[in-house]
Amino acid sequence: MIKLIIKRLLVAIPTLIVIIAFVFILMRLAPGGPFTNERALPPEIEKNIQAAYNLDKSIPEQFLIYVSNITKGDFGPSFKYKDFTVNELILSGFPVSLTLGLSSIIVALFLGVFLGTVAGIKRNTYFDHIIMSVSLIGICVPSFVLAPILSLFFGLYLGLLPISGWNNGNILNLILPITALSLPQIAVISRMMRASTIETLNSNFIKTARSKGLSQKIIIRKHVLRESILPIIDYLAPASAGLMTGSIIIEQIFGLPGIGRYFVVGALQRDYTLVSGVMILYATLLIILILFSDILRAFLDPRVKLK
Amino acid sequence: MNEILKVTNLSVRFDTPEGLFSAVKNISFDINEGKCLGIVGESGSGKTQTFFSITGLLSNNGACDGSALFKGINLLGKDSKKISKLRGKEIGFIFQDPMTSLTPHMKIGNQMIEALIYHEKTGKREALKKAKDILSIVRMPRIENIMQKYPHELSGGMKQRVMIGISLMCNPSLIIADEPTTALDVTTQKDILNIFNELKLNKNITIALISHDIGVIAEVSDDIMVMNEGKLIEKGSCNQILKEPKKEYTKHLLSCIPEWLN
Amino acid sequence: MNFDLLDRERKEKILKSALSVRGRSLWSDARRRLFKNKAAVTGLIILSIILLFSLFGPLFLQYKFDQTNWDTIYQAPNLQNGHYFGTDGNGRDLLVRILYGGRLSLTIGVIATLVSVFIGVTYGTISGYLGGKIDIVMMRIVEILYAMPYLIFVIILMVVFGRNIYLLFIAIGAVEWLTMARIVRGQTISLKEKEFIETSKALGQSTFLIIVKHIIPNLAGPIIVYITLMVPAVIILESFLSFLGLGVQEPLTSWGVLISEGSRDMETAWWLLIFPGTFMVLTLASLNFIGDGLRDALDPKEY
Ligand SMILES: Nc1ncnc2c1ncn2[C@@H]1O[C@H](COP(=O)(O)OP(=O)(O)O)[C@@H](O)[C@H]1O
Ligand SMILES: [Mg+2]
């Protein structure tokens, strides 16, 4: 197991460096970017940037300084917000985005796995058809269509839930964003889970378990689930990536002060340092997640360890 | 003679995208207690589905009718509670492909004791002890060690021994072995067939041995039935079928292994 | 956010079968099975109608997509004056704009597909051909890229290089090649192991050339299949960017732009959200049914 972790880390670290290099190169290429000379910035910011990026050094040196700053967790000063560093902006948005993302992934996993498993077991019944039709809606109606409709209906029309604002993480304020964010993932996960449940149910070892005369409940719990959930474990990282991008729009629509919102504002205003900081943060989080899902997979599937 | 399993007018159909497909067509046969019935026929002739239907293992798109009396109880009847009790406890099933027939994420020991604990409420320690005894019957090497292993760590022959062991755990009176040696190499084949012979002679276990290879069938069977395209071609004692086959199809099957006629 | 209608496994299954189907009769078998699938046929019909309308509809309509008219602002759908779907806040005809938006999304879909097939085939062939450690590393990279929020890459590209529609084509294509690369790699490896390569080698051809010769002629099927899989991703991605204000710019339009404008005016002019939304959801649903149908048609073993 430790070997596996080390092996994965050996891939993860270079990956991160490549991503950082990619961002660095983009910053250099960007017209009006932090590394070019011709730009019109307020003098205070200009001074901060000169200091932060050591523009007098050679390019490889600049890159090394950039990398070492990032490993220290320092993303530099913001390009547009005068008195803030990127770190301060990210830190202020992080709790919001983390709460939103974590709750959504948990909701999506539990509901998706549960609904998909039941649909797979009861396939071609009414229950199955209903779940699959609803999940088709979840897939075909993007969250930027779904979210306005949800807030119109539950917020303005029924007046049940607040349609915008963070309100210190009040659960009522979170219901609509979490629903809009997790619904597409519930749809995908339940479809994957249904397919993999059906495939597992058709496999030979389930015939063996059946021939033992065990009850359906025991067969599902002890023989099917551990196997059918494996594709979902592999999907964990892509799902999180989906949630990260989704949260960009959801935070925008529901007025939540998370990282995604800074990202959009940064992108629209060409705040290069902010955008690249968020990018690197997302990439780091995802690489950690991939590592985590690899380990979880090795834990659940004894066949992995041999390889 | 008293028959342990009496099958009458059994048919199996599948609902496929191309329409209804009849895999087994109205066959009747019985197996006498303590004997081995060999079922032979080329692949696709409906051997497996015949026994899947009897043991309730048909796929979702399959349906069957007819009757199958096991010790007087109709396995295709309505009393599903009684029937599922019989399955696993009184009837053991060994599958064709040992490579994929064991649950990949469960240790061998746990897979073996599962049915015993479920059906007879045996304690875990006792069940494990019984599993070891059974593994020595099927001549498994390094038993202590094997019990802690996962299926992918075992060879094909070892997995098939485990499968036989699983089917024996609850002291069944009937074992259905579906091509138990097809996926194995020749020496392991011999070993496995010897185990069947021993089970029959020493433990008085009735065996239904399915194979497309009439040579395998001849090693163990007392009676033989020949199937083709879902129909029963002929049945009779081992000697009669091998020495004086009545039907052309049987002769054709026998001619494929000429050394057997000498 | 979810840019693919099909999950990765289903996508790979379809493409793999599409790449390994050889010969005319197998394709016509697959086509026959596809046409037996009611959901897929419905999807195909709806999609064809949308496609034909988008391509030729504007020719028969009396309004231009960028023709503003201050006398017809926010008009509800009306059969008499030819604004069948109503007008927007600038008095432009909504139907024409929807059809133009459809053209744009479909065009991006096709071009992005070609870009991604090109990258995917090249990468996959090289990885499979070289094998060994290089192959492992290359595939691990694919694995990691799969999990990256590629939309964020695209946004950064848009930020750095400006909001350019051609860049959008390339950016989408450049992030969508992963599945193709994996499939082609698999094919390359199995081709490499085949015996006939040995004999051709004896004739003095290099293995690499042989593999390329075998893969290229069989690409037509997978490309068509890939387009159906890619168009929804493009539609959603483009709409997403447009919604954020980073995508298609005025006076050009896309379904995403229309939807985002529509959701702003939802309370005064419902048609501005409902019609583009319906077009988009119908297209996505049709493509989903076609994708499912393709999988069953190309890989009919499942009961
Ligand atoms: N789930 C199923 N749906 C449709 N046809 C099936 C199914 N399972 C088996 N069959 C068909 O039933 C026939 C008999 O199969 P089987 O009993 O497994 O043959 P064998 O004699 O080789 O054991 C075969 O033609 C097979 O294709
Ligand atoms: Mg069989």
Side-chain angles (χ1 to χ4, degrees):
Chain A
M1 188 66 98
I2 290 169
K3 237 181 166 175
L4 180 98
I5 297 175
I6 292 173
K7 241 172 142 181
R8 293 300 195 237
L9 273 177
L10 282 181
V11 183
I13 291 168
T15 314
L16 254 183
I17 292 178
V18 169
I19 290 172
I20 293 172
F22 176 76
V23 171
F24 179 80
I25 292 168
L26 278 181
M27 293 299 114
R28 287 209 60 96
L29 291 176
F35 299 102
T36 48
N37 293 322
E38 69 286 355
R39 64 181 158 226
L41 287 177
E44 301 101 312
I45 294 185
E46 183 69 50
K47 214 171 72 201
N48 286 343
I49 287 175
Q50 292 280 359
Y53 293 111
N54 305 288
L55 289 181
D56 46 341
K57 300 250 169 63
S58 71
I59 292 175
E61 269 177 304
Q62 285 179 19
F63 179 64
L64 282 182
I65 292 169
Y66 186 71
V67 172
S68 84
N69 279 348
I70 284 169
T71 41
K72 279 185 232 139
D74 178 8
F75 293 124
S78 164
F79 232 62
K80 299 284 162 175
Y81 294 88
K82 256 187 207 149
D83 302 317
F84 292 94
T85 64
V86 171
N87 288 39
E88 285 165 336
L89 292 174
I90 287 180
L91 273 179
S92 81
F94 197 62
V96 176
S97 296
L98 190 70
T99 314
L100 186 62
L102 220 51
S103 333
S104 301
I105 192 101
I106 290 171
V107 168
L109 274 179
F110 272 91
L111 277 180
V113 168
F114 175 74
L115 294 175
T117 306
V118 179
I121 294 168
K122 297 182 184 284
R123 81 174 128 153
N124 296 335
T125 61
Y126 276 109
F127 182 85
D128 178 27
H129 292 317
I130 291 171
I131 299 284
M132 284 306 108
S133 316
V134 174
S135 83
L136 185 64
I137 296 173
I139 287 177
C140 294
V141 183
S143 36
F144 50 83
V145 177
L146 184 70
I149 293 176
L150 279 180
S151 67
L152 187 75
F153 189 74
F154 289 101
L156 295 175
Y157 191 65
L158 295 178
L160 285 177
L161 294 164
I163 57 165
S164 127
W166 170 237
N167 200 6
N168 287 321
N170 189 319
I171 187 83
L172 287 179
N173 287 56
L174 284 176
I175 291 179
L176 286 181
I178 289 176
T179 311
L181 193 54
S182 59
L183 210 63
Q185 296 302 336
I186 296 175
V188 177
I189 292 176
S190 65
R191 290 184 150 234
M192 278 176 94
M193 197 62 198
R194 175 182 183 270
S196 116
T197 303
I198 290 174
E199 198 178 321
T200 312
L201 282 173
N202 281 336
S203 59
N204 285 339
F205 67 85
I206 296 302
K207 284 236 150 73
T208 306
R210 288 237 167 88
S211 79
K212 288 177 182 170
L214 305 174
S215 71
Q216 174 84 348
K217 237 193 222 155
I218 292 187
I219 292 177
I220 301 291
R221 197 160 40 97
K222 288 178 72 177
H223 295 265
V224 176
L225 263 178
R226 263 280 288 274
E227 182 76 10
S228 61
I229 203 152
L230 293 178
I232 306 295
I233 306 291
D234 291 339
Y235 180 64
L236 217 54
S240 311
L243 285 177
M244 282 175 187
T245 43
S247 72
I248 292 176
I249 234 167
I250 294 298
E251 286 174 11
Q252 183 93 344
I253 292 174
F254 291 99
L256 300 173
I259 296 177
R261 234 172 124 210
Y262 286 121
F263 186 73
V264 174
V265 174
L268 286 170
Q269 300 185 348
R270 297 200 157 195
D271 188 338
Y272 294 112
T273 38
L274 179 56
V275 168
S276 56
V278 174
M279 169 85 223
I280 290 166
L281 175 75
Y282 278 161
T284 315
L285 283 177
L286 277 171
I287 284 173
I288 293 172
L289 257 162
I290 297 175
L291 200 66
F292 172 74
S293 72
D294 274 351
I295 292 168
L296 194 60
R297 169 141 200 161
F299 187 72
L300 287 176
D301 185 357
R303 285 163 295 187
V304 171
K305 281 173 204 155
L306 260 192
K307 286 177 201 162
Chain B
M1 275 281 192
N2 70 5
E3 62 252 2
I4 192 165
L5 180 68
K6 184 169 181 56
V7 176
T8 5
N9 299 335
L10 179 75
S11 299
V12 178
R13 271 154 293 128
F14 287 105
D15 201 1
T16 70
E18 277 84 39
L20 227 50
F21 174 73
S22 190
V24 177
K25 295 161 189 154
N26 202 32
I27 66 173
S28 305
F29 63 93
D30 32 55
I31 311 180
N32 292 323
E33 190 166 358
K35 298 287 185 229
C36 173
L37 172 70
I39 300 96
V40 70
E42 58 195 282
S43 112
S45 55
K47 310 179 296 288
T48 300
Q49 303 311 323
T50 302
F51 284 90
F52 273 4
S53 68
I54 292 170
T55 47
L57 293 173
L58 280 183
S59 305
N60 272 350
N61 62 335
C64 61
D65 52 49
S67 81
L69 292 180
F70 176 77
K71 293 186 170 175
I73 299 165
N74 186 2
L75 292 174
L76 306 180
K78 298 253 163 355
D79 195 350
S80 57
K81 220 176 186 178
K82 243 187 193 163
I83 295 166
S84 67
K85 258 243 166 79
L86 287 177
R87 207 194 296 165
K89 204 174 153 200
E90 291 270 325
I91 304 175
F93 211 117
I94 297 158
F95 294 89
Q96 172 166 1
D97 182 8
M99 303 316 272
T100 57
S101 293
L102 291 164
T103 304
H105 57 256
M106 274 173 90
K107 288 186 178 160
I108 300 297
N110 291 338
Q111 303 203 42
M112 289 198 64
I113 61 178
E114 213 179 13
L116 192 62
I117 292 178
Y118 182 79
H119 291 294
E120 300 184 357
K121 312 277 174 279
T122 316
K124 185 163 182 186
R125 184 172 304 174
E126 212 177 314
L128 283 171
K129 194 172 160 301
K130 171 137 195 198
K132 284 176 206 161
D133 294 345
I134 297 270
L135 283 182
S136 69
I137 293 178
V138 297
R139 284 194 232 98
M140 179 71 90
R142 292 173 284 117
I143 292 173
E144 282 292 339
N145 192 332
I146 293 289
M147 298 272 282
Q148 294 301 319
K149 287 246 187 304
Y150 288 101
H152 70 272
E153 299 169 291
L154 271 56
S155 69
M158 280 157 112
K159 279 187 210 168
Q160 197 59 301
R161 283 169 215 262
V162 171
M163 282 301 297
I164 299 175
I166 287 177
S167 74
L168 290 173
M169 280 300 284
C170 297
N171 301 327
S173 27
L174 170 67
I175 287 183
I176 300 165
D178 185 2
E179 312 250 10
T181 59
T182 305
L184 306 177
D185 61 77
V186 184
T187 38
T188 325
Q189 264 189 26
K190 282 256 151 57
D191 284 355
I192 300 284
L193 291 179
N194 283 338
I195 295 173
F196 283 125
N197 264 325
E198 271 167 36
L199 291 175
K200 194 177 73 172
L201 296 175
N202 303 342
K203 306 213 153 209
N204 198 35
I205 293 178
T206 314
I207 298 173
L209 178 64
I210 301 172
S211 180
H212 65 277
D213 179 352
I214 205 160
V216 166
I217 298 278
E219 297 244 351
V220 192
S221 304
D222 302 292
D223 300 307
I224 293 183
M225 89 184 198
V226 182
M227 287 182 73
N228 186 29
E229 292 180 346
K231 289 184 292 255
L232 202 160
I233 302 297
E234 72 175 308
K235 56 187 173 183
S237 74
C238 188
N239 262 336
Q240 184 245 305
I241 297 282
L242 292 179
K243 298 272 150 60
E244 319 142 18
K246 294 200 185 81
K247 296 281 160 61
E248 276 308 310
Y249 181 73
T250 315
K251 285 177 195 158
H252 166 71
L253 271 186
L254 286 168
S255 71
C256 296
I257 35 161
E259 68 269 32
W260 247 100
L261 291 174
N262 318 330
Chain C
M1 208 63 198
N2 179 35
F3 295 99
D4 300 309
L5 296 178
L6 302 178
D7 55 76
R8 179 173 145 191
E9 241 171 277
R10 279 202 290 169
K11 210 161 144 181
E12 282 191 8
K13 233 186 201 165
I14 297 176
L15 277 172
K16 206 163 156 186
S17 334
L19 196 57
S20 50
V21 169
R22 250 145 241 239
R24 245 157 216 276
S25 70
L26 286 175
W27 274 112
S28 73
D29 274 358
R31 198 159 41 225
R32 192 173 42 78
R33 278 192 294 266
L34 183 68
F35 284 127
K36 264 193 184 167
N37 184 329
K38 281 193 198 108
V41 170
T42 315
L44 270 174
I45 292 174
I46 295 178
L47 194 71
S48 317
I49 292 175
I50 292 179
L51 200 78
L52 286 177
F53 267 152
S54 301
L55 287 182
F56 303 113
L59 302 178
F60 301 102
L61 291 170
Q62 60 195 92
Y63 302 102
K64 290 224 176 73
F65 77 100
D66 54 353
Q67 180 183 344
T68 53
N69 182 351
W70 302 112
D71 300 329
T72 55
I73 288 174
Y74 287 131
Q75 283 204 338
N78 184 334
L79 293 183
Q80 258 94 59
N81 67 4
H83 290 302
Y84 303 116
F85 282 7
T87 60
D88 69 2
N90 290 323
R92 292 174 296 196
D93 184 55
L94 182 61
L95 179 55
V96 177
R97 290 184 69 73
I98 290 177
L99 297 181
Y100 263 89
R103 270 189 190 180
L104 190 92
S105 293
L106 294 168
T107 317
I108 302 182
V110 173
I111 295 178
T113 303
L114 295 179
V115 172
S116 67
V117 166
F118 176 76
I119 302 178
V121 169
T122 313
Y123 193 94
T125 317
I126 292 175
S127 178
Y129 174 71
L130 293 177
K133 285 221 168 79
I134 299 176
D135 178 42
I136 292 174
V137 171
M138 281 177 85
M139 281 302 119
R140 190 71 197 156
I141 291 174
V142 167
E143 214 52 44
I144 289 168
L145 287 179
Y146 253 125
M148 281 297 124
Y150 67 72
L151 183 86
I152 292 171
F153 274 108
V154 176
I155 293 182
I156 291 197
L157 286 176
M158 302 300 273
V159 170
V160 171
F161 296 110
R163 293 156 206 176
N164 182 326
I165 194 166
Y166 299 103
L167 183 68
L168 197 63
F169 295 160
I170 295 169
I172 295 172
V175 289
E176 269 288 351
W177 53 271
L178 302 169
T179 309
M180 199 68 203
R182 280 170 55 107
I183 308 290
V184 170
R185 168 185 172 265
Q187 287 277 324
T188 306
I189 288 177
S190 70
L191 277 174
K192 211 167 75 171
E193 281 162 5
K194 278 209 180 118
E195 284 173 51
F196 73 88
I197 297 257
E198 292 304 316
T199 37
S200 322
K201 241 188 190 162
L203 294 174
Q205 291 191 346
S206 85
T207 317
F208 188 75
L209 272 181
I210 298 162
I211 288 169
V212 171
K213 267 189 200 160
H214 268 266
I215 287 180
I216 305 265
N218 287 302
L219 280 180
I223 287 179
I224 292 170
V225 172
Y226 217 50
I227 288 176
T228 49
L229 300 177
M230 197 91 136
V231 167
V234 170
I235 290 177
I236 301 179
L237 178 52
E238 184 279 316
S239 310
F240 181 98
L241 291 173
S242 298
F243 194 91
L244 292 177
L246 287 165
V248 173
Q249 305 290 313
E250 288 283 339
L252 282 181
T253 194
S254 73
W255 290 347
V257 173
L258 292 173
I259 286 173
S260 104
E261 287 170 1
S263 69
R264 239 173 285 134
D265 294 337
M266 192 158 57
E267 279 148 85
T268 46
W270 55 268
W271 55 92
L272 288 181
L273 175 65
I274 299 301
F275 286 123
T278 309
F279 264 73
M280 178 156 161
V281 172
L282 271 181
T283 308
L284 292 179
S286 307
L287 284 162
N288 181 66
F289 287 134
I290 295 170
D292 266 354
L294 275 174
R295 185 205 38 183
D296 294 342
L298 288 165
D299 187 20
K301 258 171 250 131
E302 284 167 39
Y303 288 107

